[in-house]
Amino acid sequence: MKVCCIGAGYVGGPSCAVMALKCPQHAFTIVDINQKRIDAWNSDKLPIYEPGLHEVVKQVRGKNLFFSTDVAKAITEADIIFISVNTPTKTFGVGKGRAADLKFVESAARSISAAVLEGHKVVVEKSTVPVKAAESISKILKTSSSVKPNASFQVLSNPEFLAEGTAINDLLYPDRVLIGGEQSEEGQAAIELLCSLYESWVPGEKIITMNTWSSELSKLAANAFLAQRISSINAISAVCEETGANVQEVAHAVGTDKRIGPYFLKASVGFGGSCFQKDVLNLVYLCECLNLPEVALYWQQVINLNEYQRRRFATKIVSSLFNTVTNKKIAIMGFAFKKDTMDTRESSSIYISQYLIEEGARLTIYDPKVQDEQIDRDLKSVCENDELVGRHVTISHDPYDATQGAHAIVVCTEWDEFKTYDYEKIYQSMFKPAFIFDGRLLLDHQHLESIGFHVQTIGKRASVTQNGYH
């Protein structure tokens, strides 16, 4: 069997690489119109960083995994076609700021329609899409079938549930695989074909089949529930800081309740990534379109709380530094939205940096994986003008250089290496009093305070140091 994946990004690349590893009898071709990206997939420097991905790609590339820009050829030869393209939030028009922009999904569907002259194809939406997106894809393909009687299509929903940083493990040992399709004989046959692919390594009881709309909504609901948990514990973190409670102790106490569980109860500077905000906003827009305003407002509050947490943290930095950060050097540690990835989409670091730049701070940014161009591009996308970024931001490739002469360190990403630094050396190189703002509850605060740092963190009232600073 031949499989084509349209889109060589964070979903398509790892997903098909693992499929190729586990299904050596099938051939997988990942296609993209971006020549630079395909060239990177065919090199030793992959376009995305994901632990374990390079090793998987190295095992199968050139054997039964291929990367190409010849989209039409791969579509024509394939039995199954995955659509794994980006579905960003719309930035203009109806639904601006909430609805998913499906232009890339539509473009992929039209590419399939144009390339297939005959034969039967199973088209699988892998991208995170709003409910009934599969219906739109079907309409485009059925229009093609009406003028190409020898071509037929079945559209399935097979949402991904990958967490960046653990994507390879998530693919190898998934909690579940959802497959949604038409409740017809042809639809069930398509579902069985896709099931046969996953059954090469996924236990049958973990492969869940359902109708298309349930599958699409399940993806949105899952991400909304996870984002809700993060906003919930972040809301409690604000209460902790005012009362003297410790949010880590509260989270542990709450998480030991087996009805709740311990996952996604770590307070932080806020969630980021390509999915959570986009999917919650997509759900908000869906509810508004369905005339469910109370439900829409409920989910909108998850986003509002996330933005509040970022503003609250940035405000804490300014107020702790004697209510001004103008011309003060602040070291931003971490720019990716989480550790073990180079993805910066909706990273809290972007918005924390924006707030501090607007207050006149001089930022030095260090991240072990994110490229300089990405940091520059992200900041210019949110700041008023490009010159502001150029004047206020320096990108460093060494954590000790980044922190030298700084008034404060701000931990925005939970990279493990941040825990291993020589903080006595860092303290000696910093402007005094030296502050650390731990937005990820990552560091040993007691040790840092013993060195002389003034430590501020999430969900815990700052202790009074010997010099009286908070």
Side-chain angles (χ1 to χ4, degrees):
M1 186 161 61
K2 291 187 175 182
V3 179
C4 167
C5 176
I6 302 175
Y10 279 93
V11 174
S15 296
C16 279
V18 169
M19 286 183 181
L21 180 69
K22 292 297 183 178
C23 305
Q25 71 275 29
H26 303 310
F28 297 81
T29 302
I30 301 175
V31 295
D32 201 294
I33 60 173
N34 187 326
Q35 182 69 58
K36 185 178 178 181
R37 174 168 288 186
I38 292 298
D39 289 343
W41 278 110
N42 282 317
S43 73
D44 289 331
K45 189 175 182 180
L46 303 184
I48 63 174
Y49 172 72
E50 186 67 42
L53 176 61
H54 186 270
E55 291 77 9
V56 172
V57 171
K58 193 174 181 180
Q59 287 186 63
V60 294
R61 187 174 56 197
K63 297 176 182 177
N64 68 324
L65 177 65
F66 308 93
F67 299 92
S68 173
T69 55
D70 194 341
V71 178
K73 181 175 184 290
I75 290 172
T76 302
E77 295 178 350
D79 302 292
I80 297 177
I81 304 165
F82 287 99
I83 297 177
S84 299
V85 296
N86 193 19
T87 53
T89 302
K90 289 185 70 174
T91 57
F92 59 89
V94 177
K96 174 184 176 181
R98 293 167 298 170
D101 188 342
L102 299 181
K103 63 183 178 184
F104 299 120
V105 172
E106 180 179 344
S107 177
R110 293 192 182 279
S111 295
I112 296 169
S113 176
V116 177
L117 302 178
E118 60 182 6
H120 181 70
K121 307 291 183 183
V122 174
V123 179
V124 185
E125 56 169 19
K126 197 76 175 166
S127 304
T128 301
V129 293
V131 178
K132 294 199 173 185
E135 187 176 287
S136 300
I137 296 171
S138 293
K139 287 180 180 178
I140 293 171
L141 298 178
K142 284 179 179 177
T143 300
S144 174
S145 298
S146 66
V147 296
K148 301 174 185 177
N150 294 325
S152 61
F153 305 90
Q154 272 294 317
V155 179
L156 303 179
S157 168
N158 176 219
E160 52 83 16
F161 292 97
L162 309 181
E164 290 183 39
T166 60
I168 299 302
N169 191 71
D170 295 339
L171 287 161
L172 290 171
Y173 309 102
D175 292 333
R176 77 291 203 196
V177 172
L178 298 190
I179 301 175
E182 290 182 7
Q183 304 302 297
S184 63
E185 185 176 336
E186 296 83 359
Q188 292 306 302
I191 289 173
E192 289 176 11
L193 181 65
L194 186 56
C195 283
S196 70
L197 201 63
Y198 283 107
E199 285 169 352
S200 297
W201 81 97
V202 180
E205 64 271 15
K206 290 191 174 183
I207 301 175
I208 305 170
T209 63
M210 57 188 65
N211 72 49
T212 311
W213 300 340
S214 294
S215 177
E216 291 173 332
L217 184 56
S218 294
K219 169 62 175 178
L220 294 184
N223 278 345
F225 275 49
L226 294 174
Q228 177 197 49
R229 285 174 70 94
I230 296 172
S231 284
S232 294
I233 197 63
N234 281 343
I236 296 300
S237 75
V239 179
C240 289
E241 291 169 32
E242 296 300 322
T243 61
N246 184 324
V247 74
Q248 291 173 297
E249 295 174 348
V250 173
H252 176 69
V254 171
T256 54
D257 187 327
K258 62 184 179 182
R259 298 170 299 175
I260 300 172
Y263 300 108
F264 282 78
L265 288 181
K266 185 167 184 178
S268 70
V269 74
F271 60 75
S274 64
C275 287
F276 281 179
Q277 176 159 312
K278 178 186 71 173
D279 290 355
V280 174
L281 289 172
N282 197 339
L283 185 58
V284 170
Y285 184 67
L286 174 65
C287 294
E288 290 175 345
C289 292
L290 296 174
N291 195 28
L292 300 169
E294 291 83 3
V295 181
L297 286 171
Y298 174 83
W299 289 111
Q300 179 64 48
Q301 191 58 28
V302 172
I303 300 297
N304 294 347
L305 201 290
N306 198 52
E307 293 171 352
Y308 163 75
Q309 186 78 341
R310 292 167 172 168
R311 290 194 307 272
R312 196 170 68 84
F313 188 66
T315 299
K316 179 187 290 188
I317 295 170
V318 175
S319 62
S320 297
L321 293 175
F322 313 106
N323 290 313
T324 179
V325 293
T326 302
N327 288 325
K328 291 180 179 177
K329 178 179 178 179
I330 297 177
I332 302 293
M333 304 303 286
F335 205 78
F337 85 92
K338 63 184 288 189
K339 71 174 184 177
D340 294 335
T341 182
M342 59 196 297
D343 193 354
T344 63
R345 285 175 289 182
E346 293 301 327
S347 173
S348 290
S349 300
I350 298 171
Y351 301 99
I352 298 299
S353 298
Q354 177 194 6
Y355 298 146
L356 294 175
I357 290 170
E358 291 173 351
E359 289 288 333
R362 293 183 295 109
L363 304 185
T364 301
I365 299 173
Y366 169 76
D367 189 284
K369 291 296 179 182
V370 179
Q371 297 179 352
D372 295 7
E373 298 80 9
Q374 187 64 52
I375 295 173
D376 186 66
R377 186 161 53 245
D378 286 337
L379 291 178
K380 286 178 178 177
S381 72
V382 296
C383 290
E384 291 181 0
N385 58 70
D386 293 355
E387 291 183 3
L388 198 63
V389 176
R391 291 198 308 268
H392 288 266
V393 176
T394 300
I395 300 171
S396 176
H397 300 110
D398 181 272
Y400 295 98
D401 288 343
T403 55
Q404 185 172 10
H407 288 74
I409 296 170
V410 180
V411 178
C412 290
T413 309
E414 70 280 22
W415 286 105
D416 290 332
E417 72 171 62
F418 294 169
K419 296 184 286 187
T420 67
Y421 294 163
D422 183 346
Y423 281 96
E424 291 189 9
K425 176 182 176 181
I426 289 174
Y427 177 76
Q428 294 301 324
S429 74
M430 289 178 65
F431 201 87
K432 307 300 186 299
F435 289 82
I436 288 184
F437 298 90
D438 186 355
R440 292 291 177 178
L441 296 172
L442 180 71
L443 305 178
D444 183 341
H445 302 153
Q446 186 174 355
H447 173 63
L448 293 172
E449 289 176 346
S450 71
I451 293 173
F453 282 105
H454 305 292
V455 181
Q456 292 271 12
T457 189
I458 298 287
K460 186 168 64 174
R461 180 181 289 175
S463 59
V464 179
T465 71
Q466 59 184 356
N467 294 319
Y469 295 108
H470 290 262

